[in-house]
């Protein structure tokens, strides 16, 4: 994404907090797209009516968007429910799950390939989130939400949590968040079933499928 060295000023005319973007109106009356990733971190979310300065950036297809945004006014007081909070619970779930997988593998409850599957899927999921965020910033073809949720459902959700928090991506859209945690619950439920004697039948089925595929 290219950019100019000069900075412009404008007013945040609209803001979609769920989707994480809005539009800035400049003196000429033109509106410039602004994504949440271009704003500096603070406790209060961007609010319509705030004055900001920014550098004009250009996506690969020539579209203009604001980047390197700075606030020109002190942040307005907003209800506590709208303030950004650290996602402590997400990391608690992640750490508890990792500890459970390590313990289950060490005691022989699960074969080592189960932990390896989660690791590989998590790396793939993190990469998918990173690609999607880069595409969102540059106005390019996005990774579908279905694909992100699908990789998470197959065991990549730990990597998705890390990506969401580190990249500040897919943390605002409530419908996606609900679907995401639904896939987490489903994945953990399946894993819990595998902790019962039924796991032997599941493992035998997986081995049969793998042998059939390689034949």
């Amino acid at each position: 994404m290219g950019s100019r060295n000069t900075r412009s000023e404008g007013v945040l005319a609209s803001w979609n907090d769920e989707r994480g973007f809005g539009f800035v109106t400049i003196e000429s009356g033109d509106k410039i797209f602004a994504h949440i990733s271009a704003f500096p971190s603070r406790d209060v979310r961007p609010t319509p009516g705030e004055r900001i300065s920014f550098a004009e950036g250009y996506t690969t297809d020539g579209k203009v968007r604001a980047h390197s945004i700075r606030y020109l006014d002190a942040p307005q007081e907003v209800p506590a429910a709208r303030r950004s909070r650290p996602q402590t619970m997400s990391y608690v779930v992640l750490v508890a799950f990792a500890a459970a997988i390590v313990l289950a593998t060490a005691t022989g409850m699960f074969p080592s390939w189960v932990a390896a599957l989660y690791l590989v899927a998590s790396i793939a999921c993190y990469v998918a989130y990173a690609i999607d965020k880069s595409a969102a910033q540059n106005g390019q073809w996005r990774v579908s939400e279905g694909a992100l949720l699908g990789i998470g459902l197959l065991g990549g959700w730990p990597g998705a949590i890390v990506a969401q928090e580190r990249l500040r991506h897919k943390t605002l859209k409530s419908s996606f968040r609900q679907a995401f945690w639904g896939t987490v619950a489903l994945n953990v439920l399946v894993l819990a079933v595998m902790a019962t004697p039924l796991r032997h039948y599941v493992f035998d089925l997986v081995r049969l499928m793998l042998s059939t595929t390689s034949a």
Side-chain angles (χ1 to χ4, degrees):
M1 180 173 68
S3 63
R4 296 177 181 173
N5 293 325
T6 58
R7 297 184 65 83
S8 302
E9 295 185 5
V11 176
L12 189 61
S14 61
W15 183 255
N16 187 322
D17 202 40
E18 182 175 302
R19 302 182 66 183
F21 70 82
F23 291 89
V24 182
T25 300
I26 58 178
E27 186 176 353
S28 65
D30 293 334
K31 291 187 176 181
I32 308 295
F33 179 85
H35 190 266
I36 184 62
S37 59
F39 287 80
S41 299
R42 67 175 188 180
D43 290 335
V44 181
R45 303 293 293 179
T47 306
E50 290 188 289
R51 293 191 309 116
I52 62 174
S53 70
F54 60 92
E56 289 187 9
Y58 299 89
T59 62
T60 54
D61 56 359
K63 294 181 179 179
V64 181
R65 63 171 53 206
H67 76 102
S68 301
I69 293 174
R70 300 173 188 166
Y71 292 104
L72 299 178
D73 298 323
Q76 302 175 12
E77 285 296 324
V78 298
R82 289 188 57 195
R83 298 182 181 180
S84 176
R85 297 184 178 88
Q87 300 297 317
T88 305
M89 186 55 65
S90 296
Y91 284 118
V92 170
V93 171
L94 183 59
V95 171
F97 179 78
I101 286 291
V102 170
L103 179 61
T105 302
T107 58
M109 181 178 295
F110 293 150
S112 58
W113 63 259
V114 173
L117 174 63
Y118 274 96
L119 177 60
V120 172
S122 291
I123 293 173
C125 204
Y126 187 97
V127 171
Y129 272 76
I131 292 173
D132 186 55
K133 175 162 185 178
S134 177
Q137 292 175 327
N138 293 290
Q140 298 173 337
W141 189 265
R142 301 284 300 276
V143 178
S144 70
E145 291 186 349
L148 295 177
L149 294 172
I151 301 173
L153 179 61
L154 293 176
W157 64 265
I161 288 178
V162 176
Q164 289 169 8
E165 303 308 325
R166 287 183 60 85
L167 303 178
R168 296 174 62 199
H169 190 53
K170 292 295 184 182
T171 59
L172 298 174
K173 190 175 180 180
S174 59
S175 59
F176 179 85
R177 298 290 292 173
Q178 292 170 3
F180 170 74
W181 285 109
T183 61
V184 172
L186 180 57
N187 180 269
V188 172
L189 177 61
V190 171
L191 193 65
V193 171
M194 292 177 64
T196 70
L198 291 175
R199 70 179 181 275
H200 299 296
Y201 299 100
V202 176
F203 293 154
D204 289 341
L205 178 60
V206 171
R207 294 190 188 97
L208 178 61
M209 293 174 61
L210 291 176
S211 62
T212 302
T213 303
S214 60

